[in-house]
Structure formats: C-alpha cells, structure tokens
Amino acid sequence: MDNLTHSLVGALLGQAGLKRRTGLAMPALIFGANLPDIDAGCVVYGIESLAMRRGLTHGPIAWVLLPLLLAGFLWWFDRWQATRRTRPEDRLPVHFGWLYLLAFVGCLSHPALDWMNSYGIRLLEPFSSRWFYGDTLFIIDVWIWAAMIFAFVFSRRIEKRGTGNWRRPALLGLVAVLGYINFNMVVTATARAQTPQAEAIASPVPLAFWARDMIIEVDGPIYRGKAKQRWTLGQGLSDDYTLLTDQPACIHPLQLPMFAHDDAEVRAFLFWSRAPYVEREDRDGRMVDVLKDARFDGRFEVEVDVPAEAEECYFE
C-alpha cells in the first residue's frame, strides 16, 4: 500500500490510546508503520529493483530488527533533547520497552497491508522467496484514506476540546477499515469462484471496490495471450474480454531465459512478474519484443532482444 495509508494506520493506533503508553509513542507507531519501505532506495537500479522490493525488509528478521533500531533511535533522541534542555515538558516519560513494542506493532501492520494487493510481498524472505498475494485492495484506496482521515481528525478535535472519549472515533475508524477489508476479501473470493479459469487473477479496480479485473489467458492462432474480463458484484462476469496486446509476439515468457539468460533486467522481471506476456511493438521502425505484466498494463516493461533466427512459436 501507499505510505499515506501506512502512516494513517500508525496514527489511528496511537489515537486509539497507544500513544499514552510512553513518550514518543506516535513517532514509534507512524515511523514503524513505514519502516519496511526503506528498500525503496533500490529504485535507482531501475527494472532490476522489482526483484529487490518487498522482500528482505518486509520479512521476519526485519520485523524484529527494524523496530529495535527505531526504538533505540527514539530513546537516544529523548535523552539528547534532555541534555540540551530542549525536551518538551509535556512529553510523557520514555520507556524503551514500550517504544520497541509500539514500533513492532506498527512495523507488522506494514506487511499485513502490503499483502492485500496484487503486487505481492515475500513475507518469508530470507527463508523463502515465495510471493504472496491478497488481491483484496488496490495499492491506493481512497475509501480507506477517507475513513481513516475522518476518524483521526474527529478524534483529535475531541481530544483538544476535552469534551468526550477521544479514543472512540479512532477505534471505530480502525474497525470500519477492518470491516471494509473483510468485505473486499469476500468480493475477491466470489469473483474467483465465478471465473471458470482456475489460474485467473482477481485484480482490484481503483475506486470501484465492488469490481475486479479478472486476468485470464486466451488462445490465438499461434500464441497464448493475456486478457482482462470485468467481474462486478451483483452482475457477475462480463461476456466480453479485452486483449492486452494487439500484436502478441510468438515468444512465450517461459522461453525468454534461453535468449536473455545474461540479461539481469529480464531475470529480475520474470522473478517478480505474476502474469508475464510478450508484445511485439514497432519502435522507430524496428519491431521489438517487449516483456510486460498483465497486472499493470505495461507500466513496467523490458525490451527483449531475441535473435530473429532463434524465434520459435512456443504454442505451435
């Protein structure tokens, strides 16, 4: 999920009452909820970063070590402010144990949310490189934003006025988001059950949480290609599907390592990709094969240099 969603989860956990456990509790929760995304720096490696993201920093070892580092920094920061006489007088006493526990809770919320979308996460890295997919939420969900922002703002206003239970709106906001997530799980499970293809991927649709784009495979004369078929709650699966490529290449993604075994970008892409397909495109008068993933409509792609004499039709 996006970092605003992760931050709001940490903030609501704090407003639900956890921020009263120790000084600097809110930074521990909010920063902790974003800690696993320290691997975002690997984007400097371009396409190869697809194989680096959502792995080691999202796995069990990171769940333990990253909160420990954050708690240590916050504890040191409190002591540093005290020695400089800049520590706020209204800050609660800082307890390292609570800092670590809150950072740990925030950190755990991150992979739990990342698992919800179709991008995937390697939950067991470094013990296993298997990808896990929840297919439940789009990576940016404005309905979750709206619910959590409203709950947080309402909670803070009540707290400042001192006129009621300021924890309740935050708790209700978290319960509402959990209910929304569970509803979306049911939507995804129903869409899968009503799609004939067992290998179909249920891809959440932006804004339309009641719909799923079912990624399926369709056969052509000499190729197998990817297509999307819309499923909607209450209406079921549409009769038509949309091909993701106008000019499918004769090369199947499983053949690519034979031709591009020394290409680090292709290896990384295939390791990350869940629904790879190859499209033949005319680029500046030159026909090239482009490796894409059906989940993202070509937003990630790698040009594959396949020698003309090596091309074979995999499905002939």
Side-chain angles (χ1 to χ4, degrees), residues 22 42 46 48 54 59 73 87 112 114 117 138 202 208 222 256 270-271 291 294 298-299:
T22 177
C42 68
E48 290 182 59
R54 295 197 179 187
F73 171 77
R87 186 183 190 278
D114 278 0
N117 52 63
F138 190 66
I222 57 172
L256 291 177
L270 289 176
F271 170 72
L291 178 61
R299 288 197 293 273

Short mmCIF file of all heavy atoms in Angstrom, two decimals, residues 22 42 46 48 54 59 73 87 112 114 117 138 202 208 222 256 270-271 291 294 298-299:
data_model
loop_
_atom_site.label_atom_id
_atom_site.label_comp_id
_atom_site.label_asym_id
_atom_site.label_seq_id
_atom_site.Cartn_x
_atom_site.Cartn_y
_atom_site.Cartn_z
N THR A 22 3.79 5.71 26.38
CA THR A 22 5.15 6.21 26.56
C THR A 22 5.32 7.48 25.76
O THR A 22 4.57 7.76 24.81
CB THR A 22 6.20 5.17 26.08
OG1 THR A 22 7.52 5.73 26.21
CG2 THR A 22 5.99 4.79 24.63
N CYS A 42 16.18 1.24 -3.54
CA CYS A 42 16.73 0.41 -4.61
C CYS A 42 16.14 0.75 -5.98
O CYS A 42 16.56 0.17 -6.99
CB CYS A 42 16.50 -1.07 -4.30
SG CYS A 42 14.77 -1.59 -4.35
N GLY A 46 16.49 0.74 -11.35
CA GLY A 46 15.53 0.60 -12.44
C GLY A 46 14.71 -0.67 -12.34
O GLY A 46 14.24 -1.06 -11.28
N GLU A 48 15.52 -3.68 -12.39
CA GLU A 48 16.08 -4.71 -11.50
C GLU A 48 15.55 -4.56 -10.07
O GLU A 48 15.54 -5.52 -9.30
CB GLU A 48 17.60 -4.64 -11.50
CG GLU A 48 18.22 -5.08 -12.81
CD GLU A 48 19.74 -5.05 -12.76
OE1 GLU A 48 20.31 -5.75 -11.89
OE2 GLU A 48 20.35 -4.31 -13.56
N ARG A 54 9.94 -5.28 -1.51
CA ARG A 54 9.02 -6.11 -0.73
C ARG A 54 9.59 -7.50 -0.43
O ARG A 54 8.89 -8.50 -0.53
CB ARG A 54 7.68 -6.24 -1.45
CG ARG A 54 6.92 -4.92 -1.57
CD ARG A 54 5.49 -5.15 -1.90
NE ARG A 54 4.74 -3.91 -1.98
CZ ARG A 54 3.42 -3.85 -2.12
NH1 ARG A 54 2.72 -4.96 -2.19
NH2 ARG A 54 2.79 -2.70 -2.19
N GLY A 59 10.35 -9.03 5.68
CA GLY A 59 10.32 -10.39 6.22
C GLY A 59 10.53 -10.45 7.72
O GLY A 59 10.73 -9.43 8.39
N PHE A 73 16.79 4.62 18.44
CA PHE A 73 16.99 6.00 17.99
C PHE A 73 16.09 6.95 18.77
O PHE A 73 16.54 8.03 19.21
CB PHE A 73 16.71 6.12 16.50
CG PHE A 73 16.69 7.54 16.01
CD1 PHE A 73 17.87 8.24 15.82
CD2 PHE A 73 15.48 8.19 15.77
CE1 PHE A 73 17.85 9.57 15.39
CE2 PHE A 73 15.45 9.51 15.36
CZ PHE A 73 16.64 10.20 15.17
N ARG A 87 13.96 19.24 25.66
CA ARG A 87 12.91 18.21 25.75
C ARG A 87 11.59 18.87 26.17
O ARG A 87 11.54 19.57 27.18
CB ARG A 87 13.29 17.14 26.78
CG ARG A 87 12.35 15.96 26.83
CD ARG A 87 12.78 15.00 27.93
NE ARG A 87 12.04 13.74 27.85
CZ ARG A 87 10.82 13.56 28.36
NH1 ARG A 87 10.21 14.56 28.99
NH2 ARG A 87 10.23 12.39 28.25
N ALA A 112 1.23 -6.65 6.55
CA ALA A 112 -0.16 -7.10 6.54
C ALA A 112 -0.95 -6.35 5.47
O ALA A 112 -1.76 -6.94 4.74
CB ALA A 112 -0.79 -6.89 7.92
N ASP A 114 0.49 -4.61 2.83
CA ASP A 114 1.09 -4.85 1.51
C ASP A 114 0.62 -6.17 0.91
O ASP A 114 0.53 -6.32 -0.31
CB ASP A 114 2.62 -4.85 1.62
CG ASP A 114 3.19 -3.45 1.61
OD1 ASP A 114 2.41 -2.49 1.51
OD2 ASP A 114 4.42 -3.30 1.71
N ASN A 117 -2.70 -6.33 -1.69
CA ASN A 117 -2.86 -6.01 -3.11
C ASN A 117 -2.22 -7.05 -4.01
O ASN A 117 -1.63 -8.02 -3.55
CB ASN A 117 -2.35 -4.59 -3.41
CG ASN A 117 -0.94 -4.38 -2.92
OD1 ASN A 117 -0.02 -5.04 -3.38
ND2 ASN A 117 -0.75 -3.47 -1.97
N PHE A 138 -6.76 -2.28 -3.95
CA PHE A 138 -5.89 -1.57 -4.88
C PHE A 138 -4.81 -0.89 -4.07
O PHE A 138 -5.01 -0.54 -2.90
CB PHE A 138 -6.69 -0.55 -5.69
CG PHE A 138 -5.92 0.06 -6.83
CD1 PHE A 138 -5.53 -0.71 -7.90
CD2 PHE A 138 -5.57 1.40 -6.80
CE1 PHE A 138 -4.80 -0.16 -8.96
CE2 PHE A 138 -4.84 1.95 -7.84
CZ PHE A 138 -4.46 1.18 -8.92
N ALA A 202 -7.52 -12.10 -9.68
CA ALA A 202 -8.52 -11.08 -9.38
C ALA A 202 -7.79 -9.78 -9.03
O ALA A 202 -7.23 -9.66 -7.94
CB ALA A 202 -9.41 -11.52 -8.23
N ALA A 208 -13.61 1.46 -7.69
CA ALA A 208 -14.72 0.51 -7.75
C ALA A 208 -14.38 -0.75 -6.95
O ALA A 208 -14.02 -1.79 -7.50
CB ALA A 208 -15.04 0.16 -9.20
N ILE A 222 -1.33 -18.83 -32.95
CA ILE A 222 -0.01 -19.40 -32.67
C ILE A 222 0.54 -18.88 -31.34
O ILE A 222 1.74 -18.94 -31.09
CB ILE A 222 1.00 -19.04 -33.78
CG1 ILE A 222 1.09 -17.53 -33.95
CG2 ILE A 222 0.65 -19.73 -35.08
CD1 ILE A 222 2.20 -17.10 -34.90
N LEU A 256 12.06 -17.01 -22.64
CA LEU A 256 12.99 -15.89 -22.59
C LEU A 256 14.35 -16.21 -22.00
O LEU A 256 15.37 -15.72 -22.49
CB LEU A 256 12.35 -14.72 -21.85
CG LEU A 256 11.18 -14.06 -22.59
CD1 LEU A 256 10.58 -12.96 -21.74
CD2 LEU A 256 11.66 -13.48 -23.92
N LEU A 270 11.13 -11.42 -14.57
CA LEU A 270 10.46 -12.72 -14.52
C LEU A 270 10.34 -13.24 -13.09
O LEU A 270 9.38 -13.93 -12.75
CB LEU A 270 11.21 -13.74 -15.38
CG LEU A 270 11.11 -13.53 -16.89
CD1 LEU A 270 11.97 -14.54 -17.63
CD2 LEU A 270 9.66 -13.62 -17.36
N PHE A 271 11.32 -12.89 -12.23
CA PHE A 271 11.23 -13.28 -10.82
C PHE A 271 10.06 -12.58 -10.14
O PHE A 271 9.35 -13.16 -9.33
CB PHE A 271 12.54 -12.93 -10.11
CG PHE A 271 12.47 -13.06 -8.61
CD1 PHE A 271 12.41 -14.31 -8.01
CD2 PHE A 271 12.44 -11.93 -7.81
CE1 PHE A 271 12.33 -14.43 -6.63
CE2 PHE A 271 12.36 -12.04 -6.43
CZ PHE A 271 12.30 -13.30 -5.84
N LEU A 291 8.60 -7.36 -22.88
CA LEU A 291 8.08 -8.16 -21.78
C LEU A 291 7.29 -7.26 -20.83
O LEU A 291 7.79 -6.24 -20.37
CB LEU A 291 9.24 -8.82 -21.04
CG LEU A 291 8.90 -9.67 -19.81
CD1 LEU A 291 8.01 -10.85 -20.18
CD2 LEU A 291 10.20 -10.17 -19.16
N ALA A 294 0.60 -8.37 -16.93
CA ALA A 294 -0.81 -8.05 -17.16
C ALA A 294 -1.45 -7.27 -16.01
O ALA A 294 -2.46 -6.61 -16.20
CB ALA A 294 -1.60 -9.34 -17.41
N GLY A 298 1.44 -2.62 -18.72
CA GLY A 298 2.64 -2.10 -19.37
C GLY A 298 3.35 -1.00 -18.63
O GLY A 298 4.27 -0.39 -19.18
N ARG A 299 2.94 -0.70 -17.38
CA ARG A 299 3.66 0.34 -16.63
C ARG A 299 5.07 -0.09 -16.28
O ARG A 299 5.94 0.73 -16.03
CB ARG A 299 2.87 0.72 -15.36
CG ARG A 299 1.62 1.53 -15.64
CD ARG A 299 1.11 2.21 -14.38
NE ARG A 299 0.64 1.26 -13.40
CZ ARG A 299 -0.59 0.79 -13.35
NH1 ARG A 299 -1.46 1.15 -14.29
NH2 ARG A 299 -0.96 -0.05 -12.40
#
